[in-house]
Amino acid sequence: MGFLIFVAAMIAKKTFNIEAIREDFPILHTSVNGRPLVYFDNGATSQKPKQVIEAIDNYYESENSNVHRGVHHLSQLATNKYEDARRTIQQYINAEHSEEIIFTKGTTDGLNMLAFSIGQTLEVGDEIIITEMEHHSNIVPWQMLCERSGCKLRVAPINSKGELKLDAFCSLLSDRTKVVSVTHISNTLGTINPIEEIIEASHRYGAVVIIDGAQSIQHMKIDVQTLDCDFYLFSGHKVFGPTGIGIVYGKKKIMEVLTPYQGGGDMIETVSFEKTTYNVLPYRFEAGTPNIAGAIALSRAIEYLNTLPLDEIEKYEKELQEYAQNELCKIDDVRIIGKASNKTSVVSFIVDGIHPFDIGTLLDKQGIAVRTGHHCTQPLMKIYGIPGTIRISLAFYNTKEEVDILINALKRSLQMLR
Ligand code: C6P
């Protein structure tokens, strides 16, 4: 009996088989400029497994209809699938209630929604804290709010390694702090922020904490109840799902008293020319026909992730990032931007005297996709005094062999450019 249980446990144990995983991603088997594609631009968007591509096809071939609107078979089918998708995401991030999961267009859309809706509750002199490493999506919506409301934006500094100065962050907290909105992982530096400490310290002052999870959900298991964050946001397309869909997780007790972001169909309870009353959560934040296929395909991506050994993957990605960073450091004149002791998946670098764009172009000629430029973090670039970086951003389907191809291609490119 004991032996049978052991065998069953062994069969159930998920193993990390990179060749099998790569088979699931058709695009990884294509060529660019006559070379096998090496895709190192996962921070911009991840590639999609065939299970996600099939879910989109299948939806439009046999399930397409509008949700929450019809008594007919297809409408109910689409509604059930859409609501099942919500529950899949709820379970994945361990939200307490499915109504806490709002479908959005992506992280940018979610941050704008929160800046608007939370902004309605703020007063002149209230403060919002962000950090120096934020993506423009977590800067501009708050600036726009400050301009129209008289609130003040405070920016917590980083050190030269690209780590948040936690003491300096804590010294910005006060009774005036109403919102703290920080990225979990920097898209440009790869720094993993100490969000547990940030959340705890901010809650001591009664501030609402928003975690921009655009670069973390695809690299580590997230448990929003353990974290105790008030909001956690991510984009579907960075977590192996499609573009045009994203998630705002928000604590029910906070969300149900916020003013809706947009008005229109589905978000209402009653409408008259004199007054409108709003629907319950989550619908009050989902005005208009949503991205139904996107939500279903995103849940398929999450189900796909659930078949993988996530702990092993997290370790593997960190090792791959360390390997890439160490190999890059061996090349003359390469300077790594972002040397946090706790980082993952991203390596940004510059080469003295050579523009990142030129390197990116020559790498592309050799089949390697990297991102060059400011990565939508212009204030961060200003702090480092550089116009941009070359960024490699990894996913679990990347390999050491691909890193070696990059290193050789970079050496060839530098010989041509010098
Ligand atoms: N960063 C990158 O190449 P959207 O565009 O809405 O899906 O995600 C916005 C966003 C918000 N926060 C962080 C930390 C991000 O990294 C991003 C997107 C991409 O780094 C595109 S600029």
Side-chain angles (χ1 to χ4, degrees):
M1 184 65 179
F3 177 71
L4 284 180
I5 293 171
F6 173 75
V7 172
M10 290 308 286
I11 292 169
K13 188 176 180 313
K14 301 163 188 170
T15 51
F16 183 38
N17 178 345
I18 189 136
E19 279 80 31
I21 286 174
R22 286 181 69 86
E23 280 307 309
D24 287 333
F25 291 80
I27 211 167
L28 298 181
H29 305 286
T30 58
S31 296
V32 168
N33 292 321
R35 305 283 180 91
L37 169 68
V38 173
Y39 188 75
F40 281 153
D41 197 16
N42 296 286
T45 198
S46 61
Q47 296 303 345
K48 321 302 170 201
K50 58 180 187 267
Q51 291 82 347
V52 167
I53 300 167
E54 281 162 15
I56 297 169
D57 275 1
N58 186 48
Y59 174 76
Y60 285 116
E61 278 171 13
S62 53
E63 295 162 350
N64 176 48
S65 190
N66 211 328
V67 290
H68 310 139
R69 284 160 172 84
V71 291
H72 61 82
H73 170 77
L74 278 182
S75 177
Q76 289 190 8
L77 183 64
T79 302
N80 290 341
K81 288 257 181 164
Y82 182 72
E83 294 304 330
D84 283 349
R86 197 189 303 278
R87 280 186 287 273
T88 300
I89 290 148
Q90 174 207 349
Q91 281 159 16
Y92 191 69
I93 62 170
N94 194 30
E96 193 177 354
H97 309 283
S98 64
E99 310 92 276
E100 296 179 321
I101 305 297
I102 310 292
F103 286 114
T104 63
K105 287 191 285 182
T107 310
T108 305
D109 189 36
L111 285 165
N112 277 280
M113 172 181 128
L114 294 182
F116 175 84
S117 295
I118 298 174
Q120 299 293 99
T121 67
L122 303 188
E123 289 170 3
V124 177
D126 284 347
E127 294 185 355
I128 297 147
I129 302 180
I130 58 171
T131 78
E132 284 181 337
M133 68 178 89
E134 298 309 319
H135 186 278
H136 296 165
S137 296
N138 198 24
I139 302 173
V140 185
W142 302 113
Q143 277 176 335
M144 292 162 79
L145 167 64
C146 289
E147 271 165 28
R148 62 177 185 263
S149 67
C151 295
K152 193 162 182 220
L153 191 64
R154 311 293 304 265
V155 185
I158 58 169
N159 64 23
S160 59
K161 287 163 76 182
E163 296 163 328
L164 180 69
K165 290 183 178 170
L166 197 56
D167 288 350
F169 166 81
C170 288
S171 69
L172 290 178
L173 288 166
S174 76
D175 294 339
R176 290 184 302 273
T177 312
K178 298 295 178 242
V179 179
V180 170
S181 191
V182 296
T183 192
H184 191 177
I185 297 185
S186 157
N187 66 318
T188 302
L189 309 172
T191 308
I192 304 174
N193 275 320
I195 56 167
E196 293 82 357
E197 284 99 317
I198 290 172
I199 293 164
E200 210 192 317
S202 307
H203 279 169
R204 268 187 249 130
Y205 289 86
V208 160
V209 185
I210 300 168
I211 303 297
D212 173 350
Q215 299 291 345
S216 62
I217 185 87
Q218 63 279 51
H219 299 300
M220 56 183 64
K221 197 76 182 74
I222 299 297
D223 181 329
V224 290
Q225 290 191 72
T226 304
L227 282 173
D228 195 30
C229 54
D230 300 298
F231 295 93
Y232 181 93
L233 296 83
F234 63 94
S235 300
H237 69 100
K238 293 189 202 288
V239 63
F240 316 105
T243 51
I245 188 80
I247 297 296
V248 166
Y249 154 79
K251 276 184 190 160
K252 190 174 169 184
K253 65 174 192 298
I254 302 178
M255 291 288 281
E256 58 195 5
V257 294
L258 289 181
T259 310
Y261 174 40
Q262 293 181 323
D266 227 21
M267 55 74 72
I268 58 88
E269 181 190 45
T270 61
V271 179
S272 72
F273 287 118
E274 289 72 39
K275 185 171 169 58
T276 292
T277 57
Y278 304 130
N279 206 341
V280 292
L281 286 176
Y283 312 112
R284 61 194 274 134
F285 286 99
E286 291 181 2
T289 300
N291 181 353
I292 306 160
I296 294 168
L298 171 57
S299 75
R300 193 68 197 85
I302 297 295
E303 282 164 4
Y304 178 81
L305 279 181
N306 263 329
T307 66
L308 303 177
L310 296 173
D311 288 349
E312 261 185 76
I313 280 179
E314 193 177 330
K315 214 169 123 240
Y316 173 77
E317 289 182 341
K318 209 170 166 58
E319 278 168 14
L320 202 56
Q321 171 260 311
E322 278 166 10
Y323 178 69
Q325 188 157 320
N326 289 339
E327 290 304 302
L328 281 165
C329 283
K330 291 179 191 162
I331 301 177
D332 284 347
D333 300 330
V334 164
R335 184 147 63 97
I336 303 293
I337 304 297
K339 290 184 177 170
S341 52
N342 193 16
K343 68 180 281 191
T344 192
S345 306
V346 168
V347 188
S348 260
F349 64 97
I350 53 172
V351 183
D352 289 336
I354 302 179
H355 199 281
F357 181 83
D358 294 337
I359 294 175
T361 306
L362 287 183
L363 290 176
D364 175 60
K365 294 276 173 272
Q366 299 168 81
I368 302 168
V370 296
R371 184 170 172 190
T372 59
H374 54 63
H375 316 299
C376 300
T377 52
Q378 282 185 10
L380 182 63
M381 295 294 100
K382 197 168 170 206
I383 288 163
Y384 278 96
I386 52 176
T389 75
I390 303 132
R391 180 188 73 175
I392 65 169
S393 50
L394 306 161
F396 54 70
Y397 43 63
N398 289 128
T399 63
K400 263 186 166 184
E401 291 70 37
E402 289 182 312
V403 173
D404 293 339
I405 292 171
L406 167 90
I407 297 295
N408 288 329
L410 179 62
K411 285 180 184 160
R412 266 194 301 276
S413 308
L414 296 182
Q415 274 164 9
M416 289 160 84
L417 290 166
R418 278 188 175 125

